[in-house]
Amino acid sequence: MADALAHPAVVQLRGVRKAYNVGEAFETEVLHGIDLTVRHGEFCAVVGPSGSGKSTLLNIIGLLDRPTSGTVEVCGAQTTTLHDRALTQLRGHNIGFVFQYHHLITAFTALENVMMPMLGAEEFASAAMRSRAEGLIDSVGLTHWKDNGAGKLSGGQQQRVAIARALVMGPALLLADEPTGNLDTKSADEVFALLRRFNEEHGTTVLFVTHNVAMSERCDRIIEVIDGRVTA
Ligand code: ADP
């Protein structure tokens, strides 16, 4: 524990509330004042029943959505007062996303999909972009499939491309919302092992939403969300 506390916070939420349809007759609060700190290098499972607020929480941590009240600090930046453009920049450079459905562009190759997040980033020349994306394709075990259309890959392979794409900008934080939910057991295990490996080798902090109890028990920490509150 003393060790964990020595690491800086990558995510710090204080009193985060989120309501939908604010000001309308059917306004509903789905997050009820969440305090949460996740430190550099932690590999956390996020568990809880459907509808308890896990995706809402991940969207707020991932700066895809803003809380109704409370503060969100990500990678050392206090985000409350940031405008959308600054949020987009912070997100693009620090946060990778993997979802249950891979959201690849199926008409593009695996390699082109992985290169996609770098296209708007000024720091990469095109040769560097390509070699970086190729390195990630190699590390997710898809060297021989890199020029295949993404639509022609299996579900597990597509999810591995999505992981390579999420990691290509070298994010400090990876948010994975049920990335194994749609996969057979073997592919799910491979995807889990891949995320774990990046966490151990690069210190990438991972928040991993899962309904799989065995997988959650293999994480460093379990964050349980019940009825819009973090209970454990
Ligand atoms: P989980 O990921 O744990 O299944 P969600 O965060 O998706 O839970 O949803 C939490 C609650 O918020 C649910 O009751 C859901 O219906 C509601 N909700 C999610 N998104 C919206 C939205 N855009 N508008 C209104 N209600 C929403």
Side-chain angles (χ1 to χ4, degrees):
M1 193 62 186
D3 247 17
L5 291 177
H7 291 117
V10 173
V11 175
Q12 185 126 53
L13 305 187
R14 287 193 207 280
V16 163
R17 294 178 175 272
K18 177 67 184 177
Y20 289 111
N21 307 307
V22 174
E24 295 177 31
F26 38 91
E27 176 173 333
T28 345
E29 188 175 271
V30 300
L31 297 181
H32 309 295
I34 291 196
D35 296 314
L36 176 69
T37 301
V38 180
R39 296 190 180 276
H40 175 77
E42 281 193 296
F43 190 101
C44 307
V46 180
V47 304
S50 280
S52 58
K54 303 181 298 297
S55 295
T56 304
L57 180 64
L58 236 63
N59 286 347
I60 287 175
I61 292 172
L63 312 176
L64 294 169
D65 203 356
R66 290 180 189 265
T68 313
S69 63
T71 61
V72 178
E73 196 179 309
V74 175
C75 299
Q78 189 52 256
T79 64
T80 315
T81 55
L82 293 182
H83 294 295
D84 287 350
R85 203 169 155 197
L87 282 185
T88 303
Q89 225 171 14
L90 185 63
R91 189 190 316 122
H93 283 89
N94 294 284
I95 308 175
F97 295 89
V98 186
F99 300 97
Q100 181 170 6
Y101 299 98
H102 52 75
H103 300 299
L104 299 179
I105 301 178
T106 50
F108 287 4
T109 66
L111 184 66
E112 287 165 346
N113 271 281
V114 176
M115 288 169 71
M116 206 66 69
M118 292 186 283
L119 293 178
E122 287 151 11
E123 62 265 43
F124 296 106
S126 63
M129 250 196 267
R130 194 180 168 87
S131 76
R132 190 173 168 79
E134 280 178 340
L136 270 155
I137 284 272
D138 291 345
S139 64
V140 299
L142 292 174
T143 310
H144 302 300
W145 285 271
K146 71 170 194 259
D147 297 320
N148 282 38
K152 302 233 167 76
L153 302 175
S154 72
Q157 288 173 327
Q158 288 176 330
Q159 199 56 299
R160 283 191 273 154
V161 175
I163 290 171
R165 180 185 55 184
L167 292 168
V168 79
M169 296 292 287
L173 175 64
L174 184 74
L175 302 177
D177 198 348
E178 292 199 57
T180 60
N182 202 27
L183 301 177
D184 60 84
T185 311
K186 181 168 175 282
S187 304
D189 276 343
E190 286 168 1
V191 162
F192 182 86
L194 204 50
L195 294 177
R196 198 41 154 161
R197 179 156 65 78
F198 276 100
N199 161 258
E200 286 171 357
E201 288 177 3
H202 302 278
T204 314
T205 305
V206 179
L207 289 182
F208 176 82
V209 176
T210 183
H211 289 286
N212 183 315
V213 176
M215 266 180 200
S216 68
E217 285 172 352
R218 282 154 61 197
C219 297
D220 299 332
R221 173 179 169 195
I222 298 179
I223 297 168
E224 188 178 39
V225 183
I226 302 222
D227 290 339
R229 291 190 169 81
V230 169
T231 59

